[in-house]
Amino acid sequence: RRADIAAIGPGGEIWMVEIKSGVPDFRSDSKWPEYIPFCDRFWFAVDHDFPQDLIPEEAGLIVADAFGAAVIRDAPAEKLSPARRKAVTLRLARLAAMRLSAAADAGWTASEAALTSSGL
């Protein structure tokens, strides 16, 4: 599973944002509660026409339009355990390094990375 946006905040906290394109997208998504144990703060980002009362209280709310976005309701803070924080931080760092490497290296593919990293 993966959230639409995962980030490491200024204090090392893990933030996740799930973007919903509309009510049908929100109602058909049953996986978002699985993200909450892996982050310190969790938000939904929706369009300005989205009915805001559908967003559960255990999530923050970001409303966006073509010109920008605003945090309407801050996400409740739930501190991760140190072991989980380390695991999630390392996973995000590895993913970011792989994506940066893929963008920088001509001809690089994910299958090549799997072949070369298996010998470590």
Side-chain angles (χ1 to χ4, degrees):
R1 306 264 189 223
R2 60 180 193 208
D4 293 321
I5 299 172
I8 300 174
E13 64 275 5
I14 307 297
W15 296 346
M16 291 188 187
V17 179
E18 187 68 7
I19 300 167
K20 293 297 154 204
S21 60
V23 174
D25 181 24
F26 176 78
R27 289 198 171 139
S28 67
D29 183 1
S30 60
K31 67 188 182 313
W32 70 266
E34 297 174 22
Y35 301 152
I36 293 176
F38 294 91
C39 61
D40 294 298
R41 293 182 182 259
F42 178 82
W43 285 269
F44 279 104
V46 299
D47 187 79
H48 61 90
D49 292 332
F50 191 94
Q52 297 178 13
D53 58 327
L54 289 179
I55 302 299
E57 291 296 320
E58 63 261 34
L61 175 61
I62 299 170
V63 175
D65 62 18
F67 303 101
V71 175
I72 303 301
R73 183 177 70 223
D74 210 2
E78 296 289 332
K79 289 218 168 235
L80 290 176
S81 70
R84 180 158 286 179
R85 179 179 314 286
K86 180 179 179 181
V88 173
T89 300
L90 287 173
R91 187 169 184 164
L92 288 172
R94 285 186 189 115
L95 179 61
M98 284 179 40
R99 288 182 179 175
L100 181 61
S101 179
D105 296 341
W108 182 90
T109 65
S111 61
E112 290 173 16
L115 292 173
T116 58
S117 65
S118 61
L120 296 177

